[in-house]
Structures are given as structure tokens and as C-alpha cells.
Amino acid sequence: MCDDELIPPRADLTEDQWTRTAGPGLADPAVPDDTPDAAPARGVPRRTLLGGAVAGAALAALPFGAPQPAVAAARAGRADRFPLPSAPGPSGEYAVLVTGDAGTGKAEQYAVAAAAREICRAEHAGLAVGLGDNLYENGPESADDSEFQEKFERPNTGIDVPWLMVLGNHDCSGLIPGSGGDPSRGDREVAYAATSRRWYMPSRYYRVALPADGARGEPLVEFFALDTNPVASYVAQTDPHYWWNGPYMRDQRRWLDDALRTSRARWKVVLGHHPYLNNGKHGSAGAYDGFVIGNYTSGVHLKELYEEVVCGRADLIMSGHDHTLQILEPTDRTRGTRQLVCGAASKTGDGTAHFTHPAAWQDFSRHGFMVLKVSAGALTIDAYTVDIAAQKARLAHRTRTTRPVGAAVPAGAR
């Protein structure tokens, strides 16, 4: 669900119930295809809704609920795929490009990617992160959908590194584009990883550790990629495997708890499309888009996951979903964990801060991206805004942390 598409349904309606009762916006006139991204849409464009319906019908023949492995295995398939970095760069740190909500295939995405490409070369970036909504509006129709080329490979030509990808609500569209109502669609993005040089998604959720010195010692930084869709969808899940308290989310929670507990990395970074805290229009987990009831639309169970498993154990939560750039401050509530929102790689917000979580820096109107730099001594976040016409990035803010969250947690506290 994006700022410029449609109004969220009432909490916990299934997609079928929503469409049968002419949910919010469905009876409104269609929006022309050339409506600017920044303009709010009054309803669902008919061709978009029909596209989602066709996708839903095609999915009816597919097996749902197949379990996915959680631990990243060695990259099989193409021998020429870009390898994960095995040691910090020339400056003694890993540089990681961070983008989110990029997959439109429009000029804005190309401009941001061009600006990021220049910064990546200067910073010797060896890794990139895609924080979901990788293929607007409905996600892929197959593992070789042409949209992988149109909305990921071509725009990112020249950023020749592995991209750690997570699933967004648009990647898991059901009948309603962006609803997150069919998580099983994400399996197609996992399958695509076997054939792409860039796209890294060995499973629906996974972990990736980068070594401190190229040896087999303790990692310098570890990333934990989540699938947040089953506990933050705009409609109720109908497949029992993906219910908020079903086997998939129970397994993912156990995996994440164990992964954070056993990680020996100095710095720990959690990746998930939906944010824990957010000053943008969508709001924070537990009250997404003003909803505070139900098991899905509000994101209340994602809030529980972040608070009970992640906060106080990871240094960063990096998310997209809101088309803004935010570096929020760690607080007592987060137990030292910092939230980043980086979802402005192709669309932008409405220019307004809707909430008041403490922020080191934030921008609600410009396109941009971030670069995470990690060394033994510091974790640095550089936020860039992009001049779309010139395809140039400007460093807008830098935040630096020298003490990992784990170092502040007393031994035996968890």
C-alpha cells in the first residue's frame, strides 16, 4: 500500500470481503495512468485492479504454504554472480548502499540509481540492500517475469554488487495491489535469485554475516532479513500457513530470536520492509495508517516482534514502506536500537512529518538513499538526497555510532 494508491481497508477484512463490499475507493473513478506519483489517487485504477485479479486467479493453481529454509546457503547457480564481500574495503570498513521502495521502472528510479552508482564507486561499496516493494504494483507473475529486468536489473546496471533483498507488501500482492494479501507470491522472488547476478534472496528470511578480516573469525557485521508481510498486511491472511500466529510466523520468530542470540557479530542490522517506528504518513507498527485494532492492518504483532525480539539486541532496524528518509534516534523504548526509514528511491512522501519520534535527521519530500559504513570502531549512516533532473546526490546528513547495542547489555540479560 503506497501513499498514492488507495485507502487501506477496514482492519482484518479479507480481500474478497473488501471487494464484495466495495471497500474504500473502489467505487471512485479510475485515476488516469499518467497521474504523477506525488498526487493522491481517489481510487484503484481499473487496469491495476484487474491485473491484481488476474494474478490472484493464476495463483489459485499454485501450492501455498511451502516451508522455506531460513539460513543463507552458498550461492548456487550462475558462476558469474557478484560475490558477497569477504573483507572490509580500502578504508577498513564495509560500505553498503541502502535503498527502498524502488521498483517502478520510472525515470525517478533511474535517476536515484545513477546518483547512487557514483557514490558507490567513490565509497567502494561492496553490498547493497533493497528494503522491499521491489516490483510495483503487483510483484512478479513468475520467476522470470520481465519486470525483474525492467524494474531492477536495468536501473541498477553498474551497481555491480550483491543486493540483499526483502519482501514488501507490493511484492506479495493478492487481488488488491499492495495489500500483502498473498505472501506466497514472494517465492517467485526467492526463485529469481538463482538466475540473477545481483539479486540475493536465498529464502524468504535469512541472515548474512560479513567477516572482520577475511578469515573465519567473528563477523564484523551481520544482517537479518525478515518477511514482515504476514503480520503487517492490509487485509487478513486467508492461508493458515501465513496467519499472524500460524506456523510460518512462529518459525520466523524462533529463527530470528535464535539468530540474534547466537550471532557473534560486533554490529547487528535487521532488515524489514515495514518499520517499527516511523514519522511518515503510514505511522508506526501497532497503529499503521491509524488502525489500532485487528491482527493485520495495524501491524500490532510486528510491533510485538520488534519489541520482544529485536529491540536492545540489534543496532539498527532498516525499513522502507514510507517513501521518506528518516534517521530516528535510539530511545529507552527501543533499548538503544536505532530505526532507519529509507523508502524514497523512486517515490516521495507528502512533505509532512505526521508523528514526533525523536529524529537525528529526516526528509519527507525528496528522493534519496543511504550508505551504511561499518568498521570495527564505528557504524556510520550517510543520508543522501538526489536532484532527479541532474541525477546527482548530495550528502544531507551523517550519523555515527561507536558503541554497539550489545556492548551496553549486561551479561546474562537475555
Side-chain angles (χ1 to χ4, degrees):
M1 191 75 58
C2 297
D3 298 344
D4 59 345
E5 285 159 15
L6 44 83
I7 301 169
R10 298 193 304 274
D12 285 12
L13 284 180
T14 65
E15 296 199 34
D16 181 63
Q17 288 172 328
W18 188 24
T19 53
R20 281 192 291 107
T21 56
L26 291 182
D28 292 339
V31 177
D33 290 343
D34 58 354
T35 300
D37 283 347
R42 292 169 54 195
V44 183
R46 179 176 175 82
R47 60 185 293 180
T48 302
L49 178 58
L50 290 177
V54 170
L59 281 166
L62 298 176
F64 284 6
Q68 294 290 323
V71 178
R75 302 190 76 186
R78 294 186 57 150
D80 62 343
R81 67 181 65 245
F82 299 119
L84 292 168
S86 58
S91 61
E93 61 188 8
Y94 289 104
V96 182
L97 171 66
V98 182
T99 69
D101 301 69
T104 64
K106 294 184 178 181
E108 293 83 356
Q109 180 186 7
Y110 275 85
V112 171
R117 182 163 51 246
E118 183 176 327
I119 299 300
C120 285
R121 288 171 179 164
E123 296 287 358
H124 301 282
L127 191 68
V129 168
L131 291 169
D133 284 357
N134 308 313
L135 300 176
Y136 285 105
E137 300 293 329
N138 300 309
E141 301 305 319
S142 68
D144 58 359
D145 193 318
S146 62
E147 289 196 342
F148 284 111
Q149 295 296 318
E150 298 164 6
K151 299 178 180 180
F152 177 74
E153 300 288 356
R154 290 174 193 156
N156 294 317
T157 298
I159 308 179
D160 297 336
V161 300
W163 288 66
L164 307 186
M165 307 298 289
V166 302
L167 295 169
N169 50 296
H170 277 273
D171 304 304
C172 297
S173 294
L175 177 64
I176 306 300
S179 67
D182 186 1
S184 69
R185 288 176 69 90
D187 293 341
R188 298 166 183 174
E189 296 195 2
V190 174
Y192 178 70
T195 61
S196 172
R197 300 186 71 189
R198 293 178 180 82
W199 189 288
Y200 189 94
M201 187 184 283
S203 51
R204 300 174 65 92
Y205 53 91
Y206 59 91
R207 61 196 290 187
V208 170
L210 303 183
D213 55 7
R216 293 187 177 182
E218 294 185 352
L220 179 60
V221 58
E222 188 161 12
F223 297 89
F224 307 85
L226 305 182
D227 175 10
T228 57
N229 286 286
V231 284
S233 56
Y234 281 102
V235 295
Q237 297 294 330
T238 56
D239 181 353
H241 184 71
Y242 292 107
W243 284 351
W244 71 268
N245 59 350
Y248 179 79
M249 284 309 303
R250 293 198 304 269
D251 287 346
Q252 184 172 192
R253 180 184 173 113
R254 281 193 296 265
W255 167 82
L256 180 60
D257 184 56
D258 182 70
L260 288 171
R261 178 179 56 82
T262 60
S263 174
R264 308 311 303 167
R266 178 169 177 78
W267 304 100
K268 301 175 181 65
V269 181
V270 170
L271 315 175
H273 179 66
H274 298 84
Y276 170 44
L277 300 179
N278 170 35
N279 285 332
K281 183 178 179 180
H282 284 309
S284 301
Y288 288 142
D289 295 284
F291 290 99
V292 293
I293 61 172
N295 292 315
Y296 296 98
T297 315
S298 69
V300 63
H301 299 297
L302 180 58
K303 177 178 183 287
E304 294 168 352
L305 180 67
Y306 281 137
E307 291 181 345
E308 296 171 8
V309 180
V310 176
C311 289
R313 303 168 83 181
D315 298 281
L316 294 176
I317 299 170
M318 300 202 303
S319 309
H321 195 48
D322 223 279
H323 303 152
T324 56
L325 300 166
Q326 303 172 52
I327 302 176
L328 302 185
E329 293 282 28
T331 64
D332 290 342
R333 173 180 176 178
T334 68
R335 301 199 296 280
T337 298
R338 183 189 293 276
Q339 170 77 65
L340 305 184
V341 179
C342 187
S346 190
K347 301 185 179 187
T348 58
D350 60 5
T352 302
H354 291 260
F355 302 94
T356 58
H357 298 293
W361 176 86
Q362 50 194 355
D363 189 294
F364 299 94
S365 60
R366 287 178 287 188
H367 292 89
F369 59 90
M370 297 183 189
V371 174
L372 173 68
K373 294 186 284 191
V374 187
S375 68
L379 185 152
T380 303
I381 306 146
D382 289 346
Y384 290 87
T385 57
V386 174
D387 181 327
I388 295 299
Q391 299 189 347
K392 293 294 183 181
R394 180 183 73 86
L395 179 62
H397 179 81
R398 173 172 290 163
T399 290
R400 188 169 183 266
T401 302
T402 58
R403 187 175 186 180
V405 166
V409 177
R414 282 191 175 269

